[in-house]
Amino acid sequence: MNSRVLEFDSLVTSRRAVRAFLPTPVPKTLISEILDIARLAPSNSNIQPWNVHVLTGEPKQALSALLMAAHNDPHSEQLTHFPSDLGQRYRQRQELFGALFYGLHQVDKCDTGARARVSGLNFEFFGAPVGLIFTIDSNLKKYSWVDYGIFLQTLMLSAQARGLATCPQVSFARFQNLIGDFLHLDDGQEIVCGMSLGYADDNALLNSLRMPRAPTEELARFIGFDQ
Ligand SMILES: Cc1cc2nc3c(=O)[nH]c(=O)nc-3n(C[C@H](O)[C@H](O)[C@H](O)COP(=O)(O)O)c2cc1C
């Protein structure tokens, strides 16, 4: 295999969702460099439907404090991530994720208090020095959300290539109004997700999680090939 292929494959296979970061700051120039590559992601009719809000220092801490208070409020809004009829194929994968994730935290999946403590770590951006919030015009259709996914992966690989780690986080979509007010978002902007960005703490047990993937035969059909 040529070195380009090896480098690309190694970039993709070494990326993972990191949930424990070092406090080492990330210079603004480096974040701009990462975004300069991410913005090259393709989009339908080239509309580039992404808006990125990059927080660090006191504003990031202030947002985290508000989110933690809301998270700990039993009356606050909840986010339904999936339909109730998820189906066995996805349900099994989700359950495996839960077993590995909460197993690592030594949390019983029936212990709702402990689970809430663990999920609350999301709102502290897992200790990362940089928090990103991604928004989209809410009148756009699902095709533009496809664009967004491509943008996010390009951003994560751009960060990974520069020795930085990320965790994409849908958890932030739970607090649309709170985050919208905090960031003074224009009307009609919807939060897609957040992301933690920084240097991984390679000694943290939390970062030892390796999520399995289904084999290619499970997701692809080859039609019209000889064999
Ligand atoms: C759109 C999206 C939203 C996610 N939201 C969260 C989240 O809110 N909290 C979290 O800890 N991980 C979140 N993840 C990370 C996934 O759990 C992780 O990508 C998946 O388990 C595969 O593991 P890997 O990224 O380490 O390969 C999210 C990933 C994606 C792509």
Side-chain angles (χ1 to χ4, degrees), residues 79-98:
L79 182 70
T80 307
H81 292 211
F82 296 110
S84 52
D85 56 346
L86 189 55
Q88 201 206 4
R89 186 190 202 204
Y90 302 136
R91 180 74 64 202
Q92 270 178 355
R93 293 176 187 167
Q94 187 193 38
E95 282 174 3
L96 178 60
F97 169 81

Side-chain angles (χ1 to χ4, degrees), residues 15 151-161 164 166 168 195:
R15 187 220 54 83
F151 172 76
L152 292 170
Q153 173 73 340
T154 310
L155 194 166
M156 290 191 286
L157 293 181
S158 174
Q160 181 76 11
L164 285 152
T166 53
M195 187 181 287

